[in-house]
Amino acid sequence: MSAVRRRTIDDVLADARAGLHRLAPPAAWEAVRRGALLVDIRPAAQRAAEGEVPQAVVIERNVLEWRLDPASDHRIPAATGYDLQVVVLCSEGYTSSLAAAALADLGLHRATDVVGGFHAWAAAGLPTTGQSDGAPGALVGAGAHAPRS
């Protein structure tokens, strides 16, 4: 019997990011200004605590693929084709990488995400509403991806 190679979430994340051309917040903003669809996948509580991006379409992570797959009966009107540039935004830029890779697997070949997520977006001074100082709200799990000491 052969040993099963177990992958860590770090392995999965690295594989997901290897297939993406991730965007720094200013480049993501420029893509949105050129017509890319910015999709905020953070849960409602996180958006309430941290703030929102006015130009973003909110689609929580659990239904993302159904809403953006052009072949889905549950797609949003903006999901017009597989060439649509989708820029996924989460809180810190981890979950968004996994989500963008899932969209790419569906054929949305221009799917990507924002490096550093909403925190980096706000810190770059890009448009937000809610938390005016750009500081993240105090949520359970916030900062969960910080390096371990």
Side-chain angles (χ1 to χ4, degrees), residues 59-60 63-70 72 74-79:
I59 304 175
E60 290 192 11
V63 294
L64 182 70
E65 291 87 348
W66 287 269
R67 299 298 183 258
L68 292 179
D69 181 352
S72 171
H74 304 287
R75 71 185 174 279
I76 63 172

Side-chain angles (χ1 to χ4, degrees), residues 2 13 28 34 40 46 79 84 92 99 134 145:
S2 64
L13 183 62
R34 288 191 319 263
D40 189 339
Q46 210 166 27
L84 177 66
E92 297 177 339
H145 305 293

Side-chain angles (χ1 to χ4, degrees), residues 20-31:
L20 301 175
H21 176 71
R22 301 181 76 217
L23 300 176
W29 173 238
E30 187 55 35

Side-chain angles (χ1 to χ4, degrees), residues 4 17 35 56 109 135 144:
V4 175
R17 287 180 172 170
H109 64 98

